[in-house]
Amino acid sequence: MRLGISIRASFKTKVINTLVFGSFLLGAGLPLTAAAENEFGDDSSGSSWGLGVGVSSSQKPYTDIDRDNKLLPILTYENEYIRLAGPELAFKLPGYKLNESNQFNFGFVAKYDFTDYEQSDAPILNGMEDRDGGFWAGFRAEWQNNYADISAEYVTEVSGDSEGSVINLGIERTWHFQEQFLFTPRIVVSWLDKEYVDYYYGVRAAEVNAERSFYQGDAGVNIEVGARGGYMFKQKHFVFLDASVTSLASEIKDSPLVDSSTENRIVFGYIYSF
């Protein structure tokens, strides 16, 4: 059951949902849903913004690679037409409200994905050509209802690096306690096309050596399970913790660069809303 709280608190929920997925869970691809933005009946005709900082620690599946720890600034802005959250910019399209408990939202998204590696990141990558992140663009649809927030998203890489495409299907639900605490479990299923898997996990002919054989990646499906919790205080402050584990597609696990069947990520952050 959702509890009615202030518009400012609603903005904090909006910020954390958008930020955590958009800025940090890039290994899964993209934001799960922006449906939670309106779960308290927020007035989207105004504008709001937030500023903060986050610490991200992630473990990629490459053999003997160290955890990747980053300190990241957080900047969010939203009005009736756009939503900016870290590396993602969403352009809102007209939605459809079936009734008080069923609403559909649509939009175009553009973002930068920081998925990459350098050959110095791990011994298994020595002699590999560096793989870069890239700019992605696509379309997102969301369905809000009394039971869960469900999203579907298609994005493709447009900057000429991986030239891959990803389809994400996600479901999450947020519970609020005492109008200050929130808890949101989620599941995200991501279909990664052949170009994406081959770019980040394939081994080209010129990269073959005694430790790694030639490998050409194929399309596969990742499954992420995660949850985030947050605490709002003094109407302007929000602290959050997000944790996730992703079960990797067999097409990724079969890569000679990989020695793990999963990857994981933990994010801790703080946001001040204006």
Side-chain angles (χ1 to χ4, degrees), residues 94-111:
Y96 178 72
K97 189 172 185 179
L98 186 63
N99 52 48
E100 290 300 320
S101 60
N102 284 275
Q103 181 169 325
F104 297 89
N105 302 312
F106 309 97
F108 294 111
V109 294
K111 67 185 71 183

PDB file of all heavy atoms in Angstrom, residues 94-111:
ATOM      1  N   PRO A  94       3.609  12.412 -24.292  1.00  0.00           N
ATOM      2  CA  PRO A  94       2.313  12.329 -23.602  1.00  0.00           C
ATOM      3  C   PRO A  94       2.029  10.925 -23.114  1.00  0.00           C
ATOM      4  O   PRO A  94       2.254   9.940 -23.822  1.00  0.00           O
ATOM      5  CB  PRO A  94       1.319  12.758 -24.694  1.00  0.00           C
ATOM      6  CG  PRO A  94       2.112  13.610 -25.629  1.00  0.00           C
ATOM      7  CD  PRO A  94       3.494  13.002 -25.638  1.00  0.00           C
ATOM      8  N   GLY A  95       1.578  10.808 -21.881  1.00  0.00           N
ATOM      9  CA  GLY A  95       1.218   9.519 -21.312  1.00  0.00           C
ATOM     10  C   GLY A  95      -0.279   9.299 -21.357  1.00  0.00           C
ATOM     11  O   GLY A  95      -1.034  10.088 -21.936  1.00  0.00           O
ATOM     12  N   TYR A  96      -0.700   8.217 -20.724  1.00  0.00           N
ATOM     13  CA  TYR A  96      -2.126   7.890 -20.704  1.00  0.00           C
ATOM     14  C   TYR A  96      -2.506   7.388 -19.326  1.00  0.00           C
ATOM     15  O   TYR A  96      -1.897   6.441 -18.812  1.00  0.00           O
ATOM     16  CB  TYR A  96      -2.457   6.824 -21.752  1.00  0.00           C
ATOM     17  CG  TYR A  96      -3.901   6.407 -21.750  1.00  0.00           C
ATOM     18  CD1 TYR A  96      -4.892   7.261 -22.234  1.00  0.00           C
ATOM     19  CD2 TYR A  96      -4.283   5.159 -21.249  1.00  0.00           C
ATOM     20  CE1 TYR A  96      -6.225   6.885 -22.220  1.00  0.00           C
ATOM     21  CE2 TYR A  96      -5.605   4.777 -21.240  1.00  0.00           C
ATOM     22  CZ  TYR A  96      -6.578   5.648 -21.728  1.00  0.00           C
ATOM     23  OH  TYR A  96      -7.893   5.265 -21.707  1.00  0.00           O
ATOM     24  N   LYS A  97      -3.498   8.020 -18.718  1.00  0.00           N
ATOM     25  CA  LYS A  97      -3.963   7.625 -17.392  1.00  0.00           C
ATOM     26  C   LYS A  97      -5.288   6.903 -17.536  1.00  0.00           C
ATOM     27  O   LYS A  97      -6.316   7.501 -17.843  1.00  0.00           O
ATOM     28  CB  LYS A  97      -4.113   8.856 -16.496  1.00  0.00           C
ATOM     29  CG  LYS A  97      -4.383   8.526 -15.039  1.00  0.00           C
ATOM     30  CD  LYS A  97      -4.320   9.776 -14.186  1.00  0.00           C
ATOM     31  CE  LYS A  97      -4.469   9.456 -12.704  1.00  0.00           C
ATOM     32  NZ  LYS A  97      -4.384  10.680 -11.863  1.00  0.00           N
ATOM     33  N   LEU A  98      -5.243   5.573 -17.321  1.00  0.00           N
ATOM     34  CA  LEU A  98      -6.440   4.767 -17.463  1.00  0.00           C
ATOM     35  C   LEU A  98      -7.411   5.028 -16.324  1.00  0.00           C
ATOM     36  O   LEU A  98      -8.614   5.192 -16.529  1.00  0.00           O
ATOM     37  CB  LEU A  98      -6.055   3.284 -17.524  1.00  0.00           C
ATOM     38  CG  LEU A  98      -7.166   2.297 -17.804  1.00  0.00           C
ATOM     39  CD1 LEU A  98      -7.767   2.540 -19.187  1.00  0.00           C
ATOM     40  CD2 LEU A  98      -6.629   0.863 -17.712  1.00  0.00           C
ATOM     41  N   ASN A  99      -6.871   5.066 -15.088  1.00  0.00           N
ATOM     42  CA  ASN A  99      -7.646   5.409 -13.900  1.00  0.00           C
ATOM     43  C   ASN A  99      -6.654   5.812 -12.816  1.00  0.00           C
ATOM     44  O   ASN A  99      -5.457   5.957 -13.081  1.00  0.00           O
ATOM     45  CB  ASN A  99      -8.556   4.250 -13.447  1.00  0.00           C
ATOM     46  CG  ASN A  99      -7.803   2.950 -13.302  1.00  0.00           C
ATOM     47  OD1 ASN A  99      -6.741   2.893 -12.687  1.00  0.00           O
ATOM     48  ND2 ASN A  99      -8.351   1.867 -13.874  1.00  0.00           N
ATOM     49  N   GLU A 100      -7.123   5.980 -11.593  1.00  0.00           N
ATOM     50  CA  GLU A 100      -6.249   6.454 -10.524  1.00  0.00           C
ATOM     51  C   GLU A 100      -5.107   5.490 -10.212  1.00  0.00           C
ATOM     52  O   GLU A 100      -4.077   5.899  -9.669  1.00  0.00           O
ATOM     53  CB  GLU A 100      -7.067   6.696  -9.250  1.00  0.00           C
ATOM     54  CG  GLU A 100      -8.000   7.891  -9.334  1.00  0.00           C
ATOM     55  CD  GLU A 100      -7.260   9.187  -9.593  1.00  0.00           C
ATOM     56  OE1 GLU A 100      -6.165   9.377  -9.014  1.00  0.00           O
ATOM     57  OE2 GLU A 100      -7.754  10.018 -10.379  1.00  0.00           O
ATOM     58  N   SER A 101      -5.272   4.229 -10.539  1.00  0.00           N
ATOM     59  CA  SER A 101      -4.251   3.236 -10.198  1.00  0.00           C
ATOM     60  C   SER A 101      -3.531   2.669 -11.415  1.00  0.00           C
ATOM     61  O   SER A 101      -2.700   1.773 -11.267  1.00  0.00           O
ATOM     62  CB  SER A 101      -4.885   2.093  -9.403  1.00  0.00           C
ATOM     63  OG  SER A 101      -5.904   1.458 -10.161  1.00  0.00           O
ATOM     64  N   ASN A 102      -3.822   3.159 -12.609  1.00  0.00           N
ATOM     65  CA  ASN A 102      -3.161   2.661 -13.813  1.00  0.00           C
ATOM     66  C   ASN A 102      -2.768   3.825 -14.708  1.00  0.00           C
ATOM     67  O   ASN A 102      -3.640   4.558 -15.196  1.00  0.00           O
ATOM     68  CB  ASN A 102      -4.080   1.718 -14.591  1.00  0.00           C
ATOM     69  CG  ASN A 102      -4.194   0.353 -13.948  1.00  0.00           C
ATOM     70  OD1 ASN A 102      -3.364  -0.524 -14.166  1.00  0.00           O
ATOM     71  ND2 ASN A 102      -5.222   0.186 -13.118  1.00  0.00           N
ATOM     72  N   GLN A 103      -1.467   3.992 -14.909  1.00  0.00           N
ATOM     73  CA  GLN A 103      -0.970   5.078 -15.742  1.00  0.00           C
ATOM     74  C   GLN A 103       0.176   4.579 -16.608  1.00  0.00           C
ATOM     75  O   GLN A 103       1.020   3.797 -16.162  1.00  0.00           O
ATOM     76  CB  GLN A 103      -0.492   6.245 -14.876  1.00  0.00           C
ATOM     77  CG  GLN A 103       0.030   7.423 -15.692  1.00  0.00           C
ATOM     78  CD  GLN A 103       0.252   8.655 -14.835  1.00  0.00           C
ATOM     79  OE1 GLN A 103      -0.506   8.905 -13.893  1.00  0.00           O
ATOM     80  NE2 GLN A 103       1.270   9.424 -15.164  1.00  0.00           N
ATOM     81  N   PHE A 104       0.216   5.042 -17.866  1.00  0.00           N
ATOM     82  CA  PHE A 104       1.264   4.669 -18.805  1.00  0.00           C
ATOM     83  C   PHE A 104       2.080   5.899 -19.166  1.00  0.00           C
ATOM     84  O   PHE A 104       1.523   6.962 -19.474  1.00  0.00           O
ATOM     85  CB  PHE A 104       0.647   4.061 -20.071  1.00  0.00           C
ATOM     86  CG  PHE A 104      -0.101   2.778 -19.803  1.00  0.00           C
ATOM     87  CD1 PHE A 104      -1.452   2.797 -19.468  1.00  0.00           C
ATOM     88  CD2 PHE A 104       0.544   1.553 -19.873  1.00  0.00           C
ATOM     89  CE1 PHE A 104      -2.141   1.627 -19.214  1.00  0.00           C
ATOM     90  CE2 PHE A 104      -0.141   0.371 -19.628  1.00  0.00           C
ATOM     91  CZ  PHE A 104      -1.483   0.414 -19.298  1.00  0.00           C
ATOM     92  N   ASN A 105       3.415   5.770 -19.112  1.00  0.00           N
ATOM     93  CA  ASN A 105       4.323   6.860 -19.434  1.00  0.00           C
ATOM     94  C   ASN A 105       5.236   6.430 -20.578  1.00  0.00           C
ATOM     95  O   ASN A 105       5.635   5.261 -20.671  1.00  0.00           O
ATOM     96  CB  ASN A 105       5.170   7.229 -18.217  1.00  0.00           C
ATOM     97  CG  ASN A 105       4.335   7.618 -17.025  1.00  0.00           C
ATOM     98  OD1 ASN A 105       3.416   8.421 -17.130  1.00  0.00           O
ATOM     99  ND2 ASN A 105       4.642   7.037 -15.879  1.00  0.00           N
ATOM    100  N   PHE A 106       5.606   7.396 -21.441  1.00  0.00           N
ATOM    101  CA  PHE A 106       6.444   7.114 -22.597  1.00  0.00           C
ATOM    102  C   PHE A 106       7.490   8.212 -22.739  1.00  0.00           C
ATOM    103  O   PHE A 106       7.281   9.349 -22.308  1.00  0.00           O
ATOM    104  CB  PHE A 106       5.597   7.036 -23.877  1.00  0.00           C
ATOM    105  CG  PHE A 106       4.414   6.117 -23.768  1.00  0.00           C
ATOM    106  CD1 PHE A 106       3.150   6.623 -23.466  1.00  0.00           C
ATOM    107  CD2 PHE A 106       4.557   4.753 -23.955  1.00  0.00           C
ATOM    108  CE1 PHE A 106       2.056   5.791 -23.356  1.00  0.00           C
ATOM    109  CE2 PHE A 106       3.463   3.906 -23.851  1.00  0.00           C
ATOM    110  CZ  PHE A 106       2.212   4.426 -23.548  1.00  0.00           C
ATOM    111  N   GLY A 107       8.611   7.872 -23.357  1.00  0.00           N
ATOM    112  CA  GLY A 107       9.634   8.883 -23.564  1.00  0.00           C
ATOM    113  C   GLY A 107      10.802   8.381 -24.388  1.00  0.00           C
ATOM    114  O   GLY A 107      11.028   7.169 -24.528  1.00  0.00           O
ATOM    115  N   PHE A 108      11.535   9.343 -24.950  1.00  0.00           N
ATOM    116  CA  PHE A 108      12.800   9.057 -25.613  1.00  0.00           C
ATOM    117  C   PHE A 108      13.925   9.267 -24.605  1.00  0.00           C
ATOM    118  O   PHE A 108      13.844  10.158 -23.760  1.00  0.00           O
ATOM    119  CB  PHE A 108      13.012   9.978 -26.820  1.00  0.00           C
ATOM    120  CG  PHE A 108      12.029   9.739 -27.934  1.00  0.00           C
ATOM    121  CD1 PHE A 108      11.059  10.681 -28.230  1.00  0.00           C
ATOM    122  CD2 PHE A 108      12.075   8.579 -28.694  1.00  0.00           C
ATOM    123  CE1 PHE A 108      10.153  10.476 -29.252  1.00  0.00           C
ATOM    124  CE2 PHE A 108      11.170   8.354 -29.713  1.00  0.00           C
ATOM    125  CZ  PHE A 108      10.208   9.309 -29.996  1.00  0.00           C
ATOM    126  N   VAL A 109      14.962   8.446 -24.687  1.00  0.00           N
ATOM    127  CA  VAL A 109      16.075   8.560 -23.754  1.00  0.00           C
ATOM    128  C   VAL A 109      17.389   8.646 -24.520  1.00  0.00           C
ATOM    129  O   VAL A 109      17.552   8.052 -25.592  1.00  0.00           O
ATOM    130  CB  VAL A 109      16.126   7.373 -22.769  1.00  0.00           C
ATOM    131  CG1 VAL A 109      14.915   7.398 -21.853  1.00  0.00           C
ATOM    132  CG2 VAL A 109      16.215   6.043 -23.502  1.00  0.00           C
ATOM    133  N   ALA A 110      18.321   9.418 -23.952  1.00  0.00           N
ATOM    134  CA  ALA A 110      19.689   9.501 -24.460  1.00  0.00           C
ATOM    135  C   ALA A 110      20.612   9.442 -23.258  1.00  0.00           C
ATOM    136  O   ALA A 110      20.338  10.068 -22.229  1.00  0.00           O
ATOM    137  CB  ALA A 110      19.893  10.794 -25.246  1.00  0.00           C
ATOM    138  N   LYS A 111      21.712   8.685 -23.365  1.00  0.00           N
ATOM    139  CA  LYS A 111      22.573   8.500 -22.199  1.00  0.00           C
ATOM    140  C   LYS A 111      23.979   8.120 -22.620  1.00  0.00           C
ATOM    141  O   LYS A 111      24.226   7.721 -23.764  1.00  0.00           O
ATOM    142  CB  LYS A 111      22.022   7.416 -21.288  1.00  0.00           C
ATOM    143  CG  LYS A 111      22.068   6.031 -21.899  1.00  0.00           C
ATOM    144  CD  LYS A 111      21.392   5.010 -21.017  1.00  0.00           C
ATOM    145  CE  LYS A 111      19.891   5.256 -21.038  1.00  0.00           C
ATOM    146  NZ  LYS A 111      19.174   4.333 -20.136  1.00  0.00           N
TER     147      LYS A 111
END
